[in-house]
Amino acid sequence: MIGYYIVIGLIAIVSFAVSARLKSKFEHYSKVNLRNGMSGAEIAEKMLSDNGIYDVRVISTPGRLTDHYNPADKTVNLSEAVYNQRNAAAAAVAAHEVGHAVQHATAYQMLKLRSQLVPVVSFSSGMAPWIIIIGLGMGAAAHIGIGYYVAVAGLILMAVTTLFTLVTLPVEYDASNRALAWLKNKNMLAPNEYEGAEDSLKWAARTYLVAAIGAIATLLYFALQVFGGSRER
């Protein structure tokens, strides 16, 4: 298990570094006020309108970095700062979340797949490691009895969680690309404002990349623990 904790520790360090950089970027671009004077909420509403989407509401949600699109009730949820502020960071986040609404409206396949995986992932993400550990404790590494099958079941659940993080990558990158294309084509931002929005979304995307790499590394580690022993037998 020492190897597992080393892997998790390294991933945690990288994740912390990327998250800290993202926070720094957003704080910096939050000081770049928009020439057009539009708030994040107004940016979101205009992008929805320009894409012919009239059944999605833009609402304010408590907290920081709590922005998300909810396909179940068709709401673009913007954190209080993004909803009210009029800067490059707010514009980037607001347009990105509307990008998800556009994906939903156009039946973007990867978004549909991610939504289908959510119910399974809500269970598997927390339980899979423990199921594998229990299986290993029952003799899975030596390919002994039911423990092996318990561990394999845990690996399957972990693989679903890993798949979810991989599917999330194109979903998030596509939403950012849609947001940036709209901001640029509609001349919503001045050049320096656009650069700030682009940089903000670039660092936001990297957090998902780190999460995907971490999920793959964790899955491979546990797979070696389960199957490695059986090969040595």
Side-chain angles (χ1 to χ4, degrees), residues 102-190:
V102 176
Q103 290 174 337
H104 189 197
T106 57
Y108 180 58
Q109 288 299 316
M110 298 304 284
L111 178 65
K112 291 175 64 177
L113 177 58
R114 187 175 73 167
S115 298
Q116 291 168 354
L117 290 172
V118 167
V120 179
V121 171
S122 62
F123 167 79
S124 66
S125 60
M127 293 298 296
W130 295 108
I131 293 174
I132 297 171
I133 290 171
I134 290 172
L136 289 170
M138 295 170 65
H143 205 169
I144 297 175
I146 193 172
Y148 178 77
Y149 298 102
V150 170
V152 170
L155 280 175
I156 293 172
L157 289 175
M158 184 173 285
V160 174
T161 302
T162 303
L163 175 61
F164 180 82
T165 64
L166 293 175
V167 170
T168 294
L169 287 176
V171 171
E172 295 300 329
Y173 276 97
D174 180 78
S176 291
N177 289 338
R178 291 174 189 265
L180 292 170
W182 177 78
L183 290 170
K184 187 173 185 177
N185 293 337
K186 296 294 181 177
N187 294 315
M188 297 299 298
L189 306 180

Side-chain angles (χ1 to χ4, degrees), residues 18 23 27 37 40 45 48 51 53 61 67 78 81 88 94 97 100 102 136 154 158 162 177 183 194 203 207 212:
V18 172
K23 182 179 178 181
E27 288 179 352
E45 288 167 353
L48 286 169
N51 281 276
I53 301 173
T61 186
D67 312 270
L78 302 179
E97 298 307 333
H100 289 307
V102 176
L136 289 170
M158 184 173 285
T162 303
N177 289 338
L183 290 170
Y194 180 84
W203 279 97
T207 62

